[in-house]
Amino acid sequence: MDHDHDHNHAHGHHGHAGHGGHAAPATWRMAAQATLHCLTGCAIGEVLGMVIGTAAGLHNGATVALSIALAFVFGYALTMRGVLRAGVPLRQALKVALAADTLSIAVMEIIDNTVMVTIPGAMDAGLADLLFWGALAGSLALAFVITTPVNRWMIGRGKGHAVVHAYH
């Protein structure tokens, strides 16, 4: 057997990331699915951080920092859950999540937090205020739209969520 076949077989690759150094073709559907997966964990952390910060009366900078930290935690955790389920050890699962999600989450966080701080009054609105929830929902939708091409580009190069597909 050739070395590439042994390497791919030993690591559970099923052709999602490509063979012989060639990345699989990245479709918009694949990119949208990867972005939606990433957005799920990111949004959980982002919303939780915004709610906690707003409810606790934290300064806008502290609220944004908390939202970003929680978005990364939940984003990585969601990816790690699937990778760990595939029998990958914790340390390796963390490496996979970092490789798969860091750029995607970073782009989403830049977009959604920029939207939140630039919409007048959004960060100062209360939890019962439609402005708060509308700005937050709009910021996450815009983050999805802008991050999808980034994920398509990464998947086309065998990076990002292409790394995770090897463990499905």
Side-chain angles (χ1 to χ4, degrees):
M1 275 201 251
D2 84 36
H3 176 69
D4 284 338
H5 185 284
D6 287 342
H7 176 76
N8 287 338
H9 182 74
H11 286 94
H13 292 266
H14 300 288
H16 296 288
H19 287 285
H22 300 290
T27 65
W28 284 108
R29 183 172 187 262
M30 289 168 64
Q33 286 176 333
T35 306
L36 187 58
H37 178 270
C38 192
L39 182 66
T40 301
C42 189
I44 291 167
E46 181 71 22
V47 171
L48 189 58
M50 287 288 169
V51 168
I52 291 170
T54 300
L58 298 179
H59 181 272
N60 289 349
T63 299
V64 168
L66 178 61
S67 293
I68 291 170
L70 290 175
F72 275 95
V73 167
F74 280 92
Y76 290 145
L78 188 61
T79 295
M80 285 180 62
R81 190 180 110 218
V83 175
L84 288 167
R85 200 178 297 147
V88 176
L90 181 63
R91 178 178 237 131
Q92 182 63 28
L94 179 59
K95 289 179 183 178
V96 169
L98 291 171
D101 291 341
T102 299
L103 182 59
S104 184
I105 295 171
V107 170
M108 285 185 188
E109 287 306 294
I110 289 167
I111 301 305
D112 62 41
N113 283 291
T114 298
V115 169
M116 285 300 292
V117 299
T118 57
I119 292 178
M123 291 294 295
D124 298 320
L127 296 178
D129 196 330
L130 183 60
L131 176 60
F132 174 82
W133 293 106
L136 189 53
S139 73
L140 292 168
L142 184 61
F144 175 83
V145 169
I146 292 173
T147 307
T148 298
V150 173
N151 281 327
R152 184 173 188 235
W153 178 80
M154 290 191 313
I155 292 167
R157 282 148 188 77
K159 309 270 186 227
H161 270 261
V163 175
V164 175
H165 284 269
Y167 297 98
H168 289 183

